[in-house]
Amino acid sequence: MEAEKQREWGPKAWAHLSSVRNQSPLIQCITNFVSMDLTANTLLSAGASPAMLHSPNETPDFTPQVHALYINVGTLSDNWLPAMKLAAEIASKFKKPWVLDPVATGASGFRLQACLDLISLKPTVIRGNASEIIALANASVGFTKGVDSSHDSTDAVEAAKSLANSSGAVVAVSGAVDFVTDGNRVVGARNGVPMMQKITATGCAVTALIAAFVAIDPLQALEATASALAVFGVAGEIGMEMARGPASLRMHLIDSLHGLDQTTVISRVKITTS
Amino acid sequence: MEAEKQREWGPKAWAHLSSVRNQSPLIQCITNFVSMDLTANTLLSAGASPAMLHSPNETPDFTPQVHALYINVGTLSDNWLPAMKLAAEIASKFKKPWVLDPVATGASGFRLQACLDLISLKPTVIRGNASEIIALANASVGFTKGVDSSHDSTDAVEAAKSLANSSGAVVAVSGAVDFVTDGNRVVGARNGVPMMQKITATGCAVTALIAAFVAIDPLQALEATASALAVFGVAGEIGMEMARGPASLRMHLIDSLHGLDQTTVISRVKITTS
Amino acid sequence: MEAEKQREWGPKAWAHLSSVRNQSPLIQCITNFVSMDLTANTLLSAGASPAMLHSPNETPDFTPQVHALYINVGTLSDNWLPAMKLAAEIASKFKKPWVLDPVATGASGFRLQACLDLISLKPTVIRGNASEIIALANASVGFTKGVDSSHDSTDAVEAAKSLANSSGAVVAVSGAVDFVTDGNRVVGARNGVPMMQKITATGCAVTALIAAFVAIDPLQALEATASALAVFGVAGEIGMEMARGPASLRMHLIDSLHGLDQTTVISRVKITTS
């Protein structure tokens, strides 16, 4: 039964990646300064078309034309927050999928409130680490140690389900094992290597990849999210075979994502349905 | 005749690169957040001295001291636009060459108007892809798919000539083949590899390199622009021989740009005069 | 006598690096856009936990929780300066060490005044190149050629001592040889390779590393600063053995920093007490 389900996920992930490559969805990214380079290169390597536009002067013209929107609060400030909210509102109005990365949401009361406000604008997917998802579910000011996860992701399953149910979003939790839930089903994505956490912005980059995958399969956001997490993880595993440290892993990961073929994706993707 | 002309361009490109290395021109860059790292590293690898200063509080002191100014609207916002205009005004007043990259100019009415306003401040060179140059020439709100080119660059020759004539700038159009025109002459720069389009900010980086080349040969902006495009393309070609994907190409391109020697430049530069 | 002192510094540098790895200090970085990626990756590779938070809306909640603060004025603007000052004030109030990188301080009157204002908020360490430290010591508007050093660092020893005495900070000066002084003692850090200056933001990154080292040894800021400079330099030396140019050096440097072991650090660190 489990093996049978596993056999379905590899082709599904490959179908998602192939669609991204063929359709080259346009992804608007309003993301933090640290991650912009890696995020854009991740999207390009997967075959998507990134556009880093954030100004409220442009969003009314531009957001209706994109295939998905990605919002990341990593280097949040009060002059970027209105831009994020406006873009999220327009995306929702035009039925565009949009994805939220609530980086370090517990770092301040301002940031937590900003994330809660954004979640009220109906993201399609929320992806964070365990601390972030727990903080959002608790909706109280906690303390996140930087942008790293200080909880095991398994601790966060209940929090994720709760957040999915209250928000209507698919919720993904990154950690030693990644989980994705719509509040009912829980899917585990078991690819990736620990050293990816020693590269800044890999979490941000995979959230952007989720936006690209959801852009080409918006009605199956849970499946698209699991595929994106697994495909990124496979690229990391292959990259790790050539890496000497985090910086060469970063390079080989992107190269591998660009070069992934059908046989590799189908044989290596590990997604499990519990 | 054509072969004879070709023989002139290799030594000219090498002379430009050598001058940049020897004179290390100071290039002020007011550019988008995504491209800052690659842009600074491209300038350093070519021997120039990048300075990412954008504040209107600093420009009156600083811009008169630079050798060229580079403005890129990739992550435009209303609080950066006055800084761009002020720097362009000061550059023009002090007879410093300045170069504009009108990234995704058709993405919004705000952005198109911003680019037109900047062009009225007399850039020395404008470099874009075919969609961007056509949008500027048409001066009407079009739609650019992200920051990628969705037109072949050959389609844009007439638009580029028109823009060059109306603006007084040298106009460069990137694509499968790059073109440079002053409205009268059209020069083709035929180096580079397709995978460079899978690396974010290569277009931004080569525009910064144009600024460095124009800085050391301001009276021959067309020739300096063609040289910069060709030299960057040669670095990409050599990088591609070692690359496994877009991220390793990015690394090898910069390494190659740093290491280019006279024999390589002269033998590989392909610039054609039509 | 000198050899005996040298024998003490290798184990000291290793102890510092080991403590960073074990304690993973949380370092708030308010730094320039160009350097954010390399800075975060440098801190992660050394074992520290970077957090790029700059908003005055967050600083009152967040800064009291960090182990050190890093401020860098590279892409200064008038809307970031209050954030920098507020964070520095809170860090001082909560007895958190904080480190200033006064990038291109002589580029404008605005920037020089900003740096002087920040220095009045009692940084633990100031690190710059010779031009920057001389400009600060002179406290008059000079001209820094971009962010490169146009003075030899040896020229700056007296300026550094003067600045250390007037500010109460430990002052580090980067150059062919790095120096660190508390106004009385002067220590030389002699690791590193010239090509590191051809990579943008290596100066910014090593200042962030100083913040991490000072975070775990705040009472010996001079020693922690010298260790950080030497350890980063050793990583550069090992990286250079594999590099083909500045971009591959950047990668190998970070990989090497992540992989440094006790034997390598102790045998290669060159710190001299004059």
Side-chain angles (χ1 to χ4, degrees):
Chain A
M1 173 70 179
E2 181 55 44
E4 193 174 327
K5 280 183 181 162
Q6 177 58 33
R7 279 203 299 275
E8 296 166 8
W9 277 102
K12 190 170 297 196
W14 173 249
H16 280 128
L17 179 59
S18 298
S19 293
V20 171
R21 289 178 177 174
N22 292 332
Q23 298 176 35
S24 192
L26 177 61
I27 312 300
Q28 182 180 3
C29 303
I30 304 182
T31 186
N32 70 74
F33 302 120
V34 192
S35 71
M36 287 188 183
D37 176 274
L38 186 63
T39 295
N41 280 319
T42 296
L43 288 172
L44 284 170
S45 293
S49 180
M52 268 67 180
L53 282 89
H54 69 279
S55 168
N57 300 91
E58 301 204 86
T59 289
D61 283 357
F62 191 69
T63 304
Q65 315 225 37
V66 304
H67 300 104
L69 168 69
Y70 166 44
I71 294 179
N72 176 303
V73 300
T75 50
L76 189 65
S77 60
D78 56 5
N79 62 335
W80 277 60
L81 184 54
M84 294 175 178
K85 289 182 181 174
L86 178 61
E89 282 168 9
I90 294 173
S92 292
K93 182 180 168 193
F94 284 83
K95 313 288 184 202
K96 309 288 185 182
W98 79 273
V99 178
L100 176 66
D101 194 329
V103 178
T105 191
S108 74
F110 173 74
R111 185 176 291 237
L112 182 60
Q113 189 57 50
C115 289
L116 295 174
D117 290 351
L118 287 165
I119 289 171
S120 74
L121 298 170
K122 297 289 172 195
T124 313
V125 183
I126 304 166
R127 188 216 63 88
N129 63 34
S131 298
E132 292 155 0
I133 299 301
I134 290 169
L136 288 174
N138 290 349
S140 61
V141 181
F143 172 63
T144 298
K145 189 178 183 190
V147 294
D148 307 325
S149 178
S150 56
H151 293 87
D152 193 281
S153 65
T154 52
D155 298 343
V157 175
E158 290 312 308
K161 281 181 158 179
S162 166
L163 180 61
N165 282 317
S166 65
S167 67
V170 165
V171 175
V173 183
S174 294
V177 173
D178 299 338
F179 289 97
V180 189
T181 182
D182 57 8
N184 182 22
R185 290 179 293 164
V186 178
V187 170
R190 296 173 175 275
N191 294 100
V193 293
M195 197 184 277
M196 291 164 73
Q197 296 179 29
K198 289 291 181 188
I199 310 167
T200 197
T202 46
C204 309
V206 78
T207 315
L209 194 65
I210 289 170
F213 277 49
V214 172
I216 53 85
D217 193 9
L219 299 180
Q220 297 194 77
L222 182 141
E223 287 79 358
T225 300
S227 286
L229 289 167
V231 163
F232 195 73
V234 168
E237 291 169 7
I238 296 171
M240 195 67 209
E241 293 165 12
M242 292 172 280
R244 293 164 170 265
S248 51
L249 176 57
R250 184 189 197 274
M251 180 181 76
H252 292 307
L253 187 161
I254 297 296
D255 278 1
S256 299
L257 180 58
H258 180 263
L260 284 176
D261 61 25
Q262 185 173 8
T263 305
T264 305
V265 171
I266 290 178
S267 65
R268 297 188 73 141
V269 158
K270 287 187 200 154
I271 297 175
T272 55
T273 315
S274 62
Chain B
M1 173 72 179
E2 182 56 42
E4 193 173 327
K5 279 182 182 162
Q6 177 57 32
R7 279 203 298 276
E8 296 166 8
W9 278 102
K12 190 170 297 194
W14 173 249
H16 280 128
L17 178 59
S18 298
S19 293
V20 170
R21 290 178 177 173
N22 292 333
Q23 298 177 33
S24 192
L26 177 61
I27 312 299
Q28 182 180 2
C29 302
I30 304 182
T31 186
N32 71 75
F33 303 120
V34 192
S35 70
M36 286 188 184
D37 176 274
L38 185 62
T39 295
N41 280 318
T42 297
L43 288 172
L44 284 170
S45 293
S49 181
M52 268 69 180
L53 281 90
H54 67 280
S55 168
N57 300 91
E58 302 203 86
T59 288
D61 284 356
F62 191 70
T63 304
Q65 315 225 36
V66 304
H67 300 104
L69 168 69
Y70 166 44
I71 294 179
N72 176 304
V73 300
T75 51
L76 188 65
S77 60
D78 56 5
N79 62 335
W80 278 60
L81 184 55
M84 293 173 179
K85 289 181 181 174
L86 178 61
E89 280 168 11
I90 295 173
S92 292
K93 181 180 167 192
F94 283 82
K95 313 287 184 204
K96 309 286 185 181
W98 78 273
V99 178
L100 176 67
D101 194 329
V103 178
T105 191
S108 74
F110 173 75
R111 185 176 291 239
L112 182 60
Q113 189 58 50
C115 289
L116 294 175
D117 290 351
L118 287 165
I119 289 171
S120 75
L121 298 170
K122 299 288 172 196
T124 313
V125 183
I126 303 167
R127 188 216 64 89
N129 63 33
S131 299
E132 293 155 0
I133 298 303
I134 290 169
L136 287 174
N138 290 349
S140 62
V141 180
F143 171 63
T144 298
K145 190 178 184 190
V147 293
D148 306 326
S149 177
S150 55
H151 293 87
D152 193 282
S153 66
T154 52
D155 298 344
V157 174
E158 290 312 308
K161 281 181 160 180
S162 164
L163 181 62
N165 282 317
S166 65
S167 68
V170 165
V171 175
V173 184
S174 294
V177 173
D178 298 339
F179 289 98
V180 189
T181 182
D182 57 9
N184 181 21
R185 290 181 292 164
V186 178
V187 170
R190 297 173 174 274
N191 293 100
V193 293
M195 195 182 278
M196 291 165 73
Q197 295 179 29
K198 290 291 180 189
I199 310 166
T200 197
T202 46
C204 310
V206 78
T207 315
L209 194 64
I210 289 170
F213 277 50
V214 172
I216 53 84
D217 193 9
L219 298 181
Q220 296 193 77
L222 183 142
E223 287 79 359
T225 300
S227 286
L229 290 166
V231 162
F232 195 71
V234 168
E237 292 169 8
I238 296 171
M240 194 67 209
E241 293 165 11
M242 292 173 279
R244 294 164 170 264
S248 52
L249 176 57
R250 184 189 197 275
M251 180 180 77
H252 292 306
L253 187 162
I254 297 296
D255 279 0
S256 299
L257 180 58
H258 181 264
L260 283 176
D261 61 26
Q262 184 172 8
T263 305
T264 305
V265 171
I266 290 179
S267 66
R268 296 189 72 142
V269 158
K270 287 187 200 153
I271 297 175
T272 54
T273 313
S274 60
Chain C
M1 173 70 180
E2 181 56 44
E4 193 172 327
K5 280 182 181 163
Q6 177 58 32
R7 278 203 299 275
E8 296 166 8
W9 277 103
K12 189 170 298 197
W14 172 250
H16 280 128
L17 178 59
S18 298
S19 293
V20 170
R21 289 179 178 173
N22 292 332
Q23 298 177 34
S24 192
L26 177 61
I27 312 299
Q28 182 181 1
C29 304
I30 304 182
T31 185
N32 70 74
F33 303 120
V34 192
S35 70
M36 287 189 182
D37 176 274
L38 186 63
T39 296
N41 280 319
T42 296
L43 288 172
L44 284 169
S45 292
S49 182
M52 267 69 180
L53 283 89
H54 68 279
S55 168
N57 300 91
E58 302 204 85
T59 289
D61 284 358
F62 190 70
T63 305
Q65 315 226 37
V66 304
H67 300 104
L69 168 69
Y70 167 44
I71 294 179
N72 176 304
V73 299
T75 50
L76 188 65
S77 59
D78 55 6
N79 62 335
W80 277 60
L81 184 55
M84 293 174 178
K85 288 181 180 174
L86 179 61
E89 281 168 10
I90 295 173
S92 291
K93 182 180 166 192
F94 283 83
K95 313 287 183 203
K96 309 287 184 181
W98 78 274
V99 178
L100 175 67
D101 194 328
V103 177
T105 192
S108 73
F110 173 74
R111 184 175 291 238
L112 182 61
Q113 189 58 50
C115 289
L116 295 174
D117 289 352
L118 287 165
I119 289 171
S120 74
L121 298 170
K122 297 288 172 197
T124 314
V125 183
I126 304 166
R127 188 217 64 87
N129 62 34
S131 298
E132 293 155 359
I133 298 302
I134 290 169
L136 288 174
N138 290 349
S140 62
V141 181
F143 171 64
T144 298
K145 190 179 183 189
V147 293
D148 306 325
S149 178
S150 55
H151 293 87
D152 193 281
S153 65
T154 52
D155 298 343
V157 175
E158 290 313 308
K161 281 181 158 179
S162 165
L163 181 62
N165 282 318
S166 63
S167 68
V170 164
V171 175
V173 183
S174 294
V177 173
D178 298 338
F179 289 97
V180 189
T181 182
D182 57 8
N184 181 22
R185 290 180 294 164
V186 178
V187 171
R190 296 173 174 275
N191 294 100
V193 293
M195 196 183 277
M196 292 165 73
Q197 295 180 28
K198 290 291 181 188
I199 310 167
T200 196
T202 46
C204 309
V206 77
T207 315
L209 194 65
I210 289 170
F213 276 49
V214 172
I216 52 85
D217 193 8
L219 298 181
Q220 296 194 78
L222 182 142
E223 287 79 0
T225 299
S227 287
L229 290 167
V231 163
F232 195 72
V234 168
E237 291 169 8
I238 296 171
M240 195 67 210
E241 294 165 11
M242 292 172 279
R244 293 163 171 265
S248 51
L249 175 58
R250 184 189 197 272
M251 180 181 76
H252 293 306
L253 187 161
I254 297 296
D255 278 1
S256 299
L257 180 59
H258 180 263
L260 283 177
D261 61 25
Q262 184 172 8
T263 306
T264 304
V265 171
I266 290 178
S267 65
R268 295 189 73 141
V269 158
K270 287 188 200 153
I271 297 176
T272 54
T273 313
S274 60

